[in-house]
Amino acid sequence: MADIRLNGLVKNYGAVRAIHGVDLTMNDGEFVAFVGPSGCGKSTMLRMIAGLEEISGGELLIGGRLVNDVEPKGRDVAMVFQDYALYPHMTVRENIGFGLKMRGQKPSEIAPRVEEAAEILQIRDFLDRKPGQLSGGQRQRVAMGRAIVREPSVFLFDEPLSNLDAKLRVEMRTQIKRLHAMLKTTMVYVTHDQTEAMTLADRVVVLRAGRIVQEGPPMELYTRPNCRFVGEFIGSPQMNVFSGAVDRSSGAPKLRMGDVALDLGEVPARDGAKIDVGIRPEHLNWADPEAATLTPTVEVFEPLGSDTMAICRLDGQELTARLSPDVDLRRDQRIGLGYDPARLHYFDGESGARLDAA
């Protein structure tokens, strides 16, 4: 096992800078997830760690060893790809053991390690099948088995579940979580799905345009996003954000936005300041429309069994509320929504940075 340190890591493609001097330490045995929108640099950073992308500047250390110019095979890392990258003419057994065979290990040494990996991943019954005879989830397990038998210091995952259906993604998330608990190896996981990042990782790193915006434990990013970008990116459904000016004319602060005024809590902003106010869909609750602060009109509602998602329109802006499954909703219905002002998030109207009380 090993820690990974990025010291001022830079990646240029010609005159274009894709990664802007990133500093990050991933601890020995930690599970770290990189998330962010398409083109933010998360896969590029993973490929630089793997040795598949040349480093333009800065330092990359794995287990305390500088590996900037070390070939991929010399870095003691194993990578699991999105497209499985299996050899179709080989059996599962041969695919899993292929890397060890190429290292010159004897069949008597390879066989027990393949069997052990297959046992861990629950694919022993498929060892003599070929990839074309397997489901997507089974093929991904084979790809993971090929990585496990190498016993690397670091596992790298590049969007490994994006080709699977929803049910299989949930199953494989559980499998990967179990695998990390069992092996206790450093794992770096790239995904565009923030739900995967939140459920799997010890620490989530949010990237935007080649820079780290915020990193920390998943619930820290959810409860205390340091900017509007992170607030909207982390959490599903996405955080509702309202923009307007602080109005303290009546004593209790409100957010004025057109014909709507939102009651605020202890907002750390002066009278007239332009701010953005965030409230998560799950923090809105059903209320009497005659007394509620928010009275949106329902456009679409989605009964999900455990709850009901209401997509509404409020003063020309979309608003999403996660409500009880027993609410009775109709299209074009005017409903009332309440909230606890302590649950609100405040962001600067220009920079998007989080505003906290002094």
Side-chain angles (χ1 to χ4, degrees):
M1 294 190 288
D3 63 347
I4 304 170
R5 280 187 287 154
L6 316 181
N7 298 329
L9 206 66
V10 172
K11 177 62 183 177
N12 298 325
Y13 292 103
V16 178
R17 178 153 293 184
I19 303 295
H20 299 261
V22 168
D23 293 308
L24 181 67
T25 297
M26 290 162 273
N27 300 318
D28 187 11
E30 189 176 21
F31 195 129
V32 178
F34 293 167
V35 298
S38 297
C40 71
K42 55 187 183 294
S43 288
T44 299
M45 289 218 327
L46 193 79
R47 292 174 64 83
M48 291 166 78
I49 295 170
L52 302 177
E53 289 281 358
E54 184 178 327
I55 295 170
S56 305
E59 295 181 333
L60 170 62
L61 295 96
I62 299 177
R65 181 171 67 117
L66 184 66
V67 297
N68 284 42
D69 300 316
V70 175
E71 292 293 315
K73 65 182 180 180
R75 296 192 181 196
D76 197 20
V77 302
M79 192 160 177
V80 178
F81 296 92
Q82 175 181 349
D83 60 359
Y84 321 130
L86 302 177
Y87 296 105
H89 63 286
M90 294 183 183
T91 64
V92 167
R93 189 188 306 275
E94 291 167 335
N95 265 285
I96 293 176
F98 183 73
L100 301 181
K101 181 180 178 181
M102 294 302 292
R103 288 182 178 181
Q105 292 192 230
K106 299 175 182 178
S108 60
E109 298 171 331
I110 296 172
R113 288 169 67 173
V114 170
E115 291 283 343
E116 183 182 6
E119 182 69 33
I120 290 171
L121 295 167
Q122 300 172 13
I123 52 173
R124 288 192 65 179
D125 292 344
F126 312 125
L127 283 173
D128 296 316
R129 297 186 189 180
K130 292 185 177 178
Q133 298 172 290
L134 305 178
S135 69
Q138 290 164 348
R139 276 179 277 177
Q140 193 56 276
R141 291 186 190 197
V142 176
M144 289 166 59
R146 185 175 52 193
I148 289 171
V149 294
R150 291 180 53 193
E151 298 179 348
S153 297
V154 175
F155 282 99
L156 306 176
F157 294 87
D158 190 10
E159 303 203 36
L161 310 186
S162 59
N163 288 338
L164 306 181
D165 62 35
K167 183 176 182 293
L168 273 177
R169 281 201 300 273
V170 173
E171 290 179 6
M172 288 303 298
R173 282 208 308 263
T174 302
Q175 190 71 46
I176 292 171
K177 189 84 169 178
R178 188 180 293 128
L179 186 66
H180 181 248
M182 185 182 304
L183 301 178
K184 297 180 173 59
T185 308
T186 308
M187 293 187 176
V188 185
Y189 191 100
V190 163
T191 179
H192 64 276
D193 184 338
Q194 52 90 23
T195 301
E196 280 181 25
M198 293 283 287
T199 55
L200 285 172
D202 301 316
R203 185 154 49 113
V204 176
V205 178
V206 182
L207 292 152
R208 185 184 191 187
R211 293 182 172 88
I212 294 176
V213 184
Q214 186 175 2
E215 53 97 0
M219 286 308 297
E220 180 179 303
L221 271 62
Y222 174 82
T223 58
R224 290 187 58 78
N226 68 2
C227 63
R228 174 174 172 169
F229 174 79
V230 175
E232 291 185 294
F233 193 84
I234 298 294
S236 181
Q238 182 175 296
M239 175 187 283
N240 300 295
V241 178
F242 304 99
S243 301
V246 177
D247 182 359
R248 298 179 181 273
S249 60
S250 62
K254 295 182 181 295
L255 181 76
R256 293 287 178 186
M257 46 176 202
D259 296 329
V260 178
L262 298 185
D263 294 324
L264 303 178
E266 293 299 319
V267 56
R270 58 176 174 76
D271 188 45
K274 302 291 186 182
I275 67 169
D276 298 329
V277 177
I279 178 74
R280 296 200 179 277
E282 54 269 34
H283 295 155
L284 293 166
N285 49 71
W286 189 261
D288 180 357
E290 301 308 316
T293 301
L294 300 174
T295 55
T297 300
V298 176
E299 288 194 327
V300 177
F301 58 95
E302 302 173 341
L304 301 176
S306 59
D307 45 43
T308 295
M309 213 67 65
I311 296 90
C312 310
R313 184 66 56 180
L314 178 71
D315 196 37
Q317 179 173 334
E318 186 172 282
L319 175 150
T320 301
R322 188 193 291 271
L323 302 172
S324 167
D326 55 5
V327 296
D328 183 20
L329 296 178
R330 301 180 306 279
R331 180 173 169 78
D332 297 326
Q333 176 186 0
R334 177 175 166 270
I335 63 172
L337 296 174
Y339 56 88
D340 178 356
R343 295 279 203 177
L344 298 176
H345 301 265
Y346 304 112
F347 307 106
D348 183 87
E350 293 186 2
S351 69
R354 184 181 184 84
L355 298 174
D356 281 319

